[in-house]
Amino acid sequence: MATKQNGKQPAHRPSRRQHIITAAVRVFGRNGFAETSVQDIADEAQVVPTAVYYHFAGKEELLELSMRRVFDQLNAVVEAARPDSEKGDAEGLVRVIDAVWDWVERSPDEARLYQVQVASANGNLKALRDEFEQRHIQRAYDYLPDGTTRSPRAAKSRHAAQALAVRTLISTTILVTALRAEGGPLSGLPSRSVQEAVRSLALRIVAAGPGSAAAPA
């Protein structure tokens, strides 16, 4: 039977891998990648550094796996709130906003990591981020009103307006989440009040989408 050494956990337990990733999520979210060492992650997980290296190549792999966990969780939350097979409408949009909001409330470590790392992602992490963002940009188009155009120029203009509306919708939701973090400018406001404001703004962005603005060329 494996035993603890110096208060640390044994390296080879099957559940140890996920335990270390959970610790990495917390440490990367607090300190960022540059200021985090394998020793920091080991201390957080209450294992020796060799236990970390037993499962992972180093902190680069741990950051990638930590972000994969965040993206997978968010994908699952959004899909459960409004499946891909379901038509996008105002009700579905509100369900998605509320579901992501609740995820942030119950997963503060993952939400903080997303806020800290997603903007500065590069390499494999950038590819993960781009895949995640593209998936949700495509989903967000479902909420915009349909429209018809009579020329290629109008079609291009409509597509550009749609892209702007979609990115504004996504960026606003992410920004508000960051502003609500501890010490942020929105951290002192009641959670439900801010949530209602985000819902209202999202619905206004969708209602003012480019479907009504597209004009004959």
Side-chain angles (χ1 to χ4, degrees):
M1 179 179 297
T3 58
K4 297 180 183 179
Q5 295 180 353
N6 300 323
K8 302 295 186 179
Q9 301 291 329
H12 60 274
R13 274 176 42 189
S15 62
R16 188 62 57 220
R17 183 178 174 87
Q18 293 305 315
H19 177 71
I20 293 171
I21 292 174
T22 298
V25 167
R26 291 195 295 266
V27 179
F28 285 133
R30 287 198 306 261
N31 303 340
F33 178 77
E35 298 301 319
T36 294
S37 67
V38 169
Q39 181 68 62
D40 294 331
I41 296 170
D43 290 344
E44 184 74 22
Q46 294 188 317
V47 300
V48 294
T50 52
V52 177
Y53 285 114
Y54 180 88
H55 292 284
F56 308 100
K59 70 174 188 174
E60 292 82 4
E61 182 185 7
L62 272 166
L63 178 62
E64 181 179 340
L65 292 171
S66 296
M67 289 305 299
R68 279 186 184 276
R69 174 183 288 187
V70 171
F71 293 145
D72 287 348
Q73 286 184 7
L74 276 170
N75 284 337
V77 163
V78 172
E79 172 68 16
R82 201 271 291 177
D84 286 337
S85 59
E86 182 180 306
K87 179 177 174 58
D89 55 18
E91 181 182 347
L93 176 58
V94 169
R95 288 202 310 270
V96 168
I97 290 172
D98 289 350
V100 172
W101 192 275
D102 291 342
W103 174 82
V104 171
E105 294 285 322
R106 67 176 183 269
S107 308
D109 295 322
E110 286 81 359
R112 187 179 304 109
L113 176 61
Y114 181 93
Q115 295 154 13
V116 168
Q117 291 296 332
V118 76
S120 59
N122 55 59
N124 290 343
L125 199 58
K126 182 179 184 301
L128 281 176
R129 182 200 66 188
D130 291 348
E131 178 184 350
F132 172 81
E133 289 184 347
Q134 189 59 37
R135 166 179 168 75
H136 292 285
I137 285 171
Q138 290 302 318
R139 283 177 55 93
Y141 275 113
D142 294 345
Y143 301 115
L144 298 179
D146 292 330
T148 58
T149 58
R150 298 184 183 178
S151 75
R153 179 184 299 176
K156 289 181 180 179
S157 176
R158 172 179 165 76
H159 181 76
Q162 284 180 324
L164 179 60
V166 166
R167 290 188 178 277
T168 299
L169 178 61
I170 294 172
S171 297
T172 298
T173 305
I174 293 171
L175 177 60
V176 169
T177 298
L179 294 175
R180 290 186 58 244
E182 185 176 354
L186 299 181
S187 60
L189 297 178
S191 175
R192 292 304 171 190
S193 296
V194 180
Q195 185 176 6
E196 287 290 344
V198 172
R199 285 178 183 165
S200 176
L201 178 58
L203 292 173
R204 288 177 63 185
I205 290 172
V206 169
S212 60

